[in-house]
Each structure stands twice: as structure tokens, then as C-alpha cells.
Amino acid sequence: MARFTLPRDLYHGEGALEALKTLKGTKAMVCVGGGSMKRFGFLDKIVSYLEEAGMEVALFEGIEPDPSVETVMKGAEAMLAFEPDWIVAVGGGSPIDAAKAMWIKYEYPECTFEDMCKVFGIPELRKKAHFCAISSTSGTATEVTAFSIITDYEKGIKYPIADFEITPDVAIVDPALAQTMPKKLTAHTGMDAMTHSIEAYVSTANSDFTDPLALHSIGMIQRDLVDSYNGDEGARARMHNAQCLAGMAFSNALLGIVHSMAHKTGAAFEKYGAHIIHGAANAMYLPKVIAFNAKDETAKARYAVIADYMKLEGETADDKVAALIAYLRKMNDDLNIPHCIKNYGADSYPCEQGFVPEDVFLAKVEDIAANAILDACTGSNPRIPTQEEMVALLKCCYYDTEVDF
């Protein structure tokens, strides 16, 4: 038996933010990241709409990119003091992911972070509060998913929390918020969405319910991402829908080792200048993982279906897989994303020598590989790598070399 779970209500399109006026409750805590939502006036609107709904509103501000375990615990303490019956998270993936984890700790104060990381092991929520997620970026789709990514900076590892309990009750997908994204963020979140769709389609947990969402979002992203990156407002609005559809697909079909590798490399090189931004990591690793997975005949056939849907050229399945890889690499070029870790600069742009020195990478690669194999996303990948294969795959992602194993 499989399960397909989405938010009970999803409000989308121009003016969708006003759906906040319809929420029923007495207290709402709004969780938000940096200053962009305040700067563009959206935070004031959100507070105003919630107050119009008759609620007392408190703010938990300043949630950082790649939110930490410490931030989660502080937010939960604030919730325990305020006692909201609605948690409203607004922004990109980071504040929404952090608020999901805070929600667990708020409802179950004795729950540890280790407890949260037990895959599909979270106890029943909604005894204290319901959850509304409002996305401002077009990539993570955490507003509709059963996932949250939290970083343990002491270990340099991102941990996925996975449970249908943390699927939001209400999702708001208003294109006005997405229009505020900087160009670089548009590129990274867009390739994150493309990775979600492709991994969901080839996942071992794919189904008749997830396949149409994955394929349709792939087609939308193919059509609109580069134009969105180049400032087309209509394409930007359509990408906001596309990433949400991709999220619906992967939340129910799960993901694969592109995400496993991205989770375990993202914070691993923090001491050497920067994170490897999640969407950029996915963009770099996706072509390599497709080549690796396509050694499995079932996965190869499904990649060929994707290539056909995208109207790429190729007579045989191998030709179509090659065309898909080439197309994705060209997208990375169009979006100014490097092809490998070696050329990933501290500002995320391509450069001759990136911020991760070769000797540092080689010293860490065995541990990164072991952690990636243990990641929650690995189990649904169509081809489960050995430790040796994961190390080799990570080296291909560092040097941009051919995957021939």
C-alpha cells in the first residue's frame, strides 16, 4: 500500500495571500527569515490579514539560510511561551523547514532532534497548532511536502526530516512573492525543482499519482526557467506553480541520491569559504547521477520517457539519456551554474579554482560518501551505490569526469 498526501487547501494565483483572512484561530506565530519579506511589504500584509481573521500575532524573525538545530530549538521555545494555534511560515525553504521542525518540538517538548530525524517516525501533530506555509521562492516546494532540511553545523551535515505529519495544512502559492527573488536564487531554486521532478519520476516509489505531476512540471521548467532567470515576469509566475507541482510529486514519490549527495556536501566545507548552495549542488550532481542510474534498465527507460516528453532528439534509450544530460548541462551554462565542485566559487559562480581545495575534498570524501548512503533519500534511488561507487561518483562531481561505472 502506498500513500499520497498533500495540504488540505492550496491557494494559488494572484492575491492568494488574502486566504490568510479565512483562517480560524486565536493566536498565530509567523516564522520568517531575513528582511526581504519585510522590505517588500509582505510581512505587514500577512500580519494584517491574520489580525483581520481575529488572531493575535507574534513574530519569530531572522531564520537563517540552511537553518540550524539551535534556531529550531529557540523557535520552539518561543512557541511554547506564546502558545499559537496557527504556525504561519513565510519565505524560502529555510524558514518553512525550520518552522516545521519547531512545530514538532512545540507539540512534543521532550522530542529531541535525533527523534525528529527518524524517518516517518514523528508522532501525531495538530494537537496544539495547524500549519500554513507561504512560499517566496520557486524551488524547494516545502509548502506542500512532508520534508524539512535542518543543518547540524557541528557535524557539517544537513539532515532531512521526513514524515507526512509535517505536510502543511494550508499552502499559499502567490506569484507576487516570487517576483522578488534575486537572479542567482531564481537559478538555484529552479534547478532544485527540476531535480525534484526528475528524481521523483525515476524513484522506486513513483506511481500513477506522481508521474503526471513530475512530467508536467519538467515541461514547465524546461519552458520557463531560463526566461524566469532572465527577468520574464510571466515565466517567473509560472515557475512558482511548476516548482509546487514538482514538490507534490517528490513528497509522495520521494527522491534519490542527487539529494543525498547535496545534503551531505552542502555544509561539509563551511570552513573553506561557503556552503555549496543546495540548488547549485543539485544542478551539478544531477547529470552525473543520471549517468550512474541509467546503468539500471528500468531507470534508463524512464529517463528516456523524460527526454521524449521534453522533445529531445535520440533514437535509442542511450541516445535519449545522453540528450537529457546534455540539455541539463546547457541549462546550467545558461543559468551561470558550474558543472563541478572544483569550479564552484565561494559566490556560487563558475571559476577556475573553487573554494574547496582538492586535498580537502579527498580527505573528506569517504566520510561524505558514507553519510550520503545513509541519507533518507538514498533508499528510493533506482540504483543503490556501494561505498566505493559513491566515492567514485562524488569524485566525478568534483572533477567533472565521465561516469562509466
Side-chain angles (χ1 to χ4, degrees):
M1 180 177 70
R3 179 173 174 177
F4 187 89
T5 299
L6 296 175
R8 184 183 185 280
D9 293 301
L10 190 152
Y11 297 93
H12 59 95
E14 189 176 347
L17 203 58
E18 292 191 38
L20 291 170
K21 298 177 185 178
T22 68
L23 299 186
K24 305 287 190 241
T26 58
K27 289 184 176 183
M29 176 163 278
V30 178
C31 300
V32 67
S36 64
M37 290 297 96
K38 181 180 287 185
R39 191 165 62 251
F40 291 109
F42 293 115
L43 186 57
D44 286 343
K45 281 186 178 181
I46 288 164
V47 171
S48 175
Y49 292 153
L50 290 168
E51 288 176 343
E52 195 172 330
M55 287 193 246
E56 180 185 351
V57 181
L59 300 180
F60 186 85
E61 300 181 77
I63 297 171
E64 73 273 37
D66 301 300
S68 65
V69 177
E70 290 73 20
T71 295
V72 167
M73 298 307 165
K74 287 177 186 174
E77 286 176 12
M79 290 177 187
L80 285 163
F82 183 63
E83 299 184 331
D85 46 19
W86 274 99
I87 298 165
V88 178
V90 58
S94 295
I96 298 174
D97 280 3
K100 286 179 176 180
M102 293 171 192
W103 183 24
I104 300 168
K105 185 73 173 175
Y106 169 51
E107 299 235 359
Y108 293 95
E110 72 285 357
C111 184
T112 66
F113 181 66
E114 290 71 22
D115 292 333
M116 295 181 195
C117 293
K118 294 173 184 173
V119 178
F120 294 99
I122 294 169
E124 183 180 351
L125 299 180
R126 297 165 180 82
K127 296 182 183 299
K128 292 182 180 179
H130 286 81
F131 195 99
C132 173
I134 307 166
S135 57
S136 66
T137 61
S138 301
T140 69
T142 191
E143 72 275 8
V144 293
T145 75
F147 296 93
S148 164
I149 307 298
I150 304 298
T151 302
D152 184 329
Y153 284 94
E154 286 188 14
K155 296 179 180 177
I157 295 175
K158 294 183 179 183
Y159 289 96
I161 300 171
D163 199 291
F164 288 118
E165 284 296 320
I166 61 171
T167 303
D169 299 285
V170 175
I172 295 176
V173 184
D174 190 322
L177 280 72
Q179 299 295 344
T180 66
M181 284 193 298
K183 196 168 185 178
K184 183 168 72 174
L185 185 60
T186 302
H188 293 160
T189 56
M191 288 306 294
D192 191 19
M194 180 64 98
T195 305
H196 291 157
S197 300
I198 292 175
E199 288 210 293
Y201 192 74
V202 301
S203 161
T204 57
N206 72 75
S207 72
D208 290 339
F209 297 90
T210 59
D211 284 353
L213 293 165
L215 284 176
H216 187 60
S217 56
I218 288 168
M220 292 180 72
I221 296 165
Q222 178 188 20
R223 180 188 66 188
D224 290 319
L225 175 54
V226 174
D227 287 344
S228 173
Y229 174 75
N230 289 322
D232 184 313
E233 291 187 2
R236 181 73 60 89
R238 292 189 295 273
M239 271 299 302
H240 210 40
N241 289 345
Q243 64 86 29
C244 188
L245 295 172
M248 293 178 187
F250 91 77
S251 185
N252 291 281
L254 307 179
L255 291 165
I257 59 172
V258 177
H259 273 77
S260 302
M261 294 158 65
H263 293 156
K264 298 331 184 205
T265 53
F269 307 105
E270 177 78 9
K271 295 177 183 177
Y272 297 90
H275 265 60
I276 299 178
I277 296 170
H278 179 72
N282 283 339
M284 292 189 295
Y285 307 162
L286 180 58
K288 304 303 183 190
V289 170
I290 290 173
F292 175 80
N293 284 342
K295 305 295 189 294
D296 174 90
E297 291 300 319
T298 300
K300 182 194 293 185
R302 292 185 75 81
Y303 287 130
V305 172
I306 292 172
D308 286 340
Y309 191 84
M310 295 173 69
K311 296 181 169 53
L312 305 181
E313 293 184 0
E315 293 298 321
T316 67
D318 287 328
D319 291 342
K320 293 172 183 180
V321 170
L324 177 60
I325 289 171
Y327 189 94
L328 293 169
R329 288 177 65 88
K330 174 64 164 56
M331 283 190 82
N332 286 348
D333 289 337
D334 291 342
L335 298 168
N336 207 18
I337 296 173
H339 290 296
C340 62
I341 300 170
K342 180 176 178 287
N343 300 132
Y344 182 93
D347 59 0
S348 85
Y349 292 121
C351 65
E352 188 64 31
Q353 177 55 59
F355 71 87
V356 182
E358 182 179 24
D359 60 334
V360 171
F361 172 80
L362 293 174
K364 287 178 172 283
V365 69
E366 290 282 349
D367 288 342
I368 292 170
N371 288 327
I373 289 170
L374 293 173
D375 189 89
C377 294
T378 299
S380 48
N381 195 68
R383 186 180 170 202
I384 303 298
T386 64
Q387 171 74 9
E388 184 180 31
E389 287 169 338
M390 182 60 86
V391 168
L393 190 54
L394 284 162
K395 287 181 178 179
C396 289
C397 292
Y398 184 84
Y399 296 108
D400 191 22
T401 50
E402 188 102 9
V403 178
D404 57 2
F405 52 92

